[in-house]
Amino acid sequence: MDPEPVPSTKARAVFALGLVGLLTGPLIGGVIPATLALLLARQAAREAYAAGGYLSGSAWIRRGRGLAWAGLVLAVGALVVLLIAGLLHLAAAPGQDFAPGTD
């Protein structure tokens, strides 16, 4: 007799971490939960494959993995925008300020 399929608890954790990574990605703090989601997704997918179909939740893993990647892309985009803004700020900074009447 075959056992009943059981939902994977790691799959829900991957989705939750991916969602947190997406929501906090523009603040650059989303890198940590997104990375954890990707690492946990790899582990959960391996366990689901080894279970031979008796461990469900692959859709949650796919969704969480997609959200985590989107959070990483947002974090990298925010980092690029901050870098460009910082460079523009440095470029607009006045050079050496001489006293009036100095050549």
Side-chain angles (χ1 to χ4, degrees):
M1 186 181 280
D2 290 335
E4 291 294 318
V6 178
S8 172
T9 56
K10 287 184 182 179
R12 299 282 174 126
V14 167
F15 180 77
L17 284 169
L19 186 61
V20 169
L22 177 71
L23 294 176
T24 59
L27 305 174
I28 305 178
V31 172
I32 295 170
T35 304
L36 289 175
L38 291 174
L39 292 174
L40 192 60
R42 181 186 304 169
Q43 187 180 27
R46 260 192 254 135
E47 288 178 2
Y49 180 76
Y54 294 107
L55 193 60
S56 63
S58 62
W60 288 102
I61 295 171
R62 274 194 315 272
R63 290 180 194 134
R65 196 178 277 158
L67 290 173
W69 278 113
L72 285 174
V73 167
L74 285 175
V76 168
L79 190 61
V80 168
V81 167
L82 287 175
L83 181 66
I84 290 172
L87 289 173
L88 289 175
H89 178 71
L90 284 176
Q96 191 168 1
D97 203 15
F98 293 106
T102 304
D103 286 336

